[in-house]
């Protein structure tokens, strides 16, 4: 591989470059395989010979010029993750949905900063069958390689939308906020249609968003830990919601 | 600080050195402050002048020779974590409990490999008021700096015991295993006294431990994600257990 190509792939770790080219990188065998099974537009697949042989069936539909076979050490060089030795793919971003529908139970992430947390939350949304995750504009980018990796392929199924505060003001259903001061999750009835706001890792829900929350809910605590991390809190609330709304 | 001291502190990142010296390192302002508020035996506190002034009250009870004031950049050098610029402490391990009691709801971690996952699980145990976490001998060390950091101070309150398989064979209560093939968590009654087995991140519960499980339980899935991570799964099951057993 030319140094230019490695440079191009590595440049996609920057959000600005991703935005301009409307492309991002998917890494590791598991995620690339899931990607190839989807109907997303893959611009380039870069993989080892071992990967290409193992997944020959999946690769058949791609013209030869979209495929690039490299050694393990070259893959490591091009990768942005530490543990990837087998494959990466340059993928076209899906078109942005200007008016995403807000039906059922959805999440709204208010300034989530850690890309791993964002990916984990998308994975949890996928597990619980939620279709959409909305994010404040200052939430970390879903196309960050660490977000994509932590989502374990769930980014292919859950759509993530970045929205202005005005969007939240016009939300048609109940807005719930996860907050330590809220009502005990085990003692209230969660509505079938709602938006659950998850706040920033260190500071919780922002002032502006708090003003729009209709009901604060809390996860009952029985011991002394000060808090739970954002992904864990999201999962517990989704599980409680699913207990009441199985369909 | 002499290079020797930096070397000594950094050497405690190895389990063998920790075992031999029966000491480990606690890092970052938040964790060190919680430590100083506890009754654990602190051998050395290494911190910036800013930290020492801010927490003068807490530091008063320590003789001067246990305190070492350093610059931010020296702290960074001695640290094993990336984000620590303010304080670290060398701490004596508590004595090992040869016959840890197994009452109430406890966890058993079967070959958890990631230190961050272990710390997160200890934090979750603390949140839900569980007193003990048991670990297979091949589970990562709780005194690993990344485990200690991820536990967010909960290592001070939840005791972690490494036990042989024989211990599990003689467990006096029901043994539950988290496994995708198990009964739906939302549809069964969880016993008040039980041990919940959480398996390895990639391979689940080992063959030997599976043979000792009385009942497998699963977290109901409504979407398409293949799995949930170990910490998230633990939290959801603990939350369901607490719904049935509030005391």
């Amino acid at each position: 591989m030319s140094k230019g190509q490695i440079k191009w792939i590595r440049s996609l770790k920057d959000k600005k470059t991703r935005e301009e080219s409307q492309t991002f990188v998917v890494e590791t065998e598991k995620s690339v395989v899931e990607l190839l099974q989807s109907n997303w537009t893959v611009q380039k697949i870069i993989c080892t010979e071992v990967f290409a042989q193992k997944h020959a069936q999946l690769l058949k539909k791609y013209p030869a010029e979209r495929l690039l076979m490299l050694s393990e050490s070259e893959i490591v060089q091009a990768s942005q993750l530490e543990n990837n030795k087998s494959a990466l793919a340059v993928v076209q971003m899906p078109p942005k949905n200007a008016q995403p529908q807000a039906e059922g139970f959805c999440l709204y992430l208010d300034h989530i900063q850690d890309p791993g947390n964002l990916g984990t939350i998308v994975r949890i949304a996928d597990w619980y069958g939620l279709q959409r995750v909305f994010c404040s504009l200052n939430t970390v980018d879903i196309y960050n390689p660490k977000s994509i990796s932590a989502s374990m392929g769930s980014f292919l199924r859950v759509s993530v939308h970045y929205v202005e505060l005005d969007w939240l003001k016009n939300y048609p259903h109940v807005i719930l906020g996860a907050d330590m001061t809220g009502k005990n999750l085990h003692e209230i009835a969660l509505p079938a249609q709602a938006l659950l706001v998850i706040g920033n890792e260190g500071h919780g829900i922002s002032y502006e968003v708090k003003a729009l929350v209709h009901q604060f809910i809390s996860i009952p605590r029985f011991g002394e830990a000060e808090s739970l991390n954002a992904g864990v809190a999201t999962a517990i609330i989704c599980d409680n919601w699913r207990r009441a709304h199985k369909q």
Side-chain angles (χ1 to χ4, degrees), chain A:
Chain A
M1 181 153 71
S2 79
K3 278 188 184 168
Q5 280 182 299
I6 292 191
K7 216 175 147 186
W8 167 58
I9 292 166
R10 289 192 62 89
S11 75
L12 293 172
K13 76 166 188 287
D14 296 317
K15 186 176 172 185
K16 205 175 148 229
T17 318
R18 289 197 298 270
E19 279 295 326
E20 282 167 7
S21 62
Q22 287 291 299
T23 57
F24 66 103
V25 176
V26 173
E27 301 200 17
T28 74
E29 177 166 0
K30 208 171 164 311
S31 294
V32 172
V33 166
E34 273 207 65
L35 170 74
L36 297 178
Q37 288 165 338
S38 77
N39 56 6
W40 287 47
T41 305
V42 179
Q43 293 189 350
K44 197 106 193 173
I45 303 154
I46 299 118
C47 64
T48 59
E49 214 161 307
V50 174
F51 180 97
Q53 276 169 13
K54 192 168 163 194
H55 303 290
Q57 202 59 32
L58 269 176
L59 291 168
K60 255 185 8 199
K61 65 174 170 181
Y62 294 95
E65 67 270 21
R66 294 223 196 146
L67 221 73
L68 187 62
M69 230 100 80
L70 293 180
S71 69
E72 253 192 39
S73 67
E74 285 170 312
I75 300 272
V76 169
Q77 246 191 299
S79 288
Q80 284 144 32
L81 301 177
E82 270 175 42
N83 56 351
N84 181 32
K85 293 177 186 171
S86 60
L88 23 88
V90 178
V91 187
Q92 198 175 305
M93 288 183 191
K96 285 195 175 68
N97 187 339
Q99 289 184 305
Q101 279 221 322
E103 294 308 307
F105 193 75
C106 298
L107 304 178
Y108 176 87
L109 310 182
D110 186 26
H111 196 192
I112 287 289
Q113 284 178 288
D114 182 84
N117 282 345
L118 174 58
T120 300
I121 290 171
V122 169
R123 182 179 175 193
I124 290 162
D126 188 22
W127 179 273
Y128 283 105
L130 313 188
Q131 316 257 306
R132 283 183 181 79
V133 172
F134 298 97
C135 299
S136 63
L137 297 181
N138 57 4
T139 286
V140 65
D141 187 23
I142 180 64
Y143 297 115
N144 180 303
K146 286 181 186 166
S147 307
I148 290 293
S149 163
S151 87
M152 299 287 276
S154 291
F155 76 91
L156 294 163
R157 291 175 291 267
V158 175
S159 55
V160 178
H161 307 276
Y162 290 78
V163 293
E164 310 256 4
L165 196 65
D166 269 347
W167 176 90
L168 200 59
K169 285 180 186 159
N170 297 313
Y171 199 77
H173 308 296
V174 176
I175 301 180
L176 304 171
D179 190 274
M180 305 273 283
T181 64
K183 287 201 179 155
N184 183 335
L185 186 62
H186 290 177
E187 293 168 2
I188 55 165
L190 292 169
Q193 305 241 42
L195 183 72
L196 170 66
V197 179
I198 299 291
N200 171 267
E201 292 92 343
H203 305 102
I205 304 176
S206 66
Y207 179 78
E208 297 83 358
V209 173
K210 268 193 174 166
L212 301 173
V213 168
H214 302 112
Q215 169 147 41
F216 290 101
I217 56 176
S218 67
I219 297 167
R221 180 173 75 157
F222 297 83
E224 293 181 57
E226 244 181 53
S227 63
L228 291 169
N229 82 36
V232 166
T234 305
I236 293 167
I237 299 171
C238 288
D239 188 75
N240 278 268
W241 180 74
R242 272 302 187 190
R243 199 177 245 281
H245 306 283
K246 299 204 192 303
Q247 300 201 319

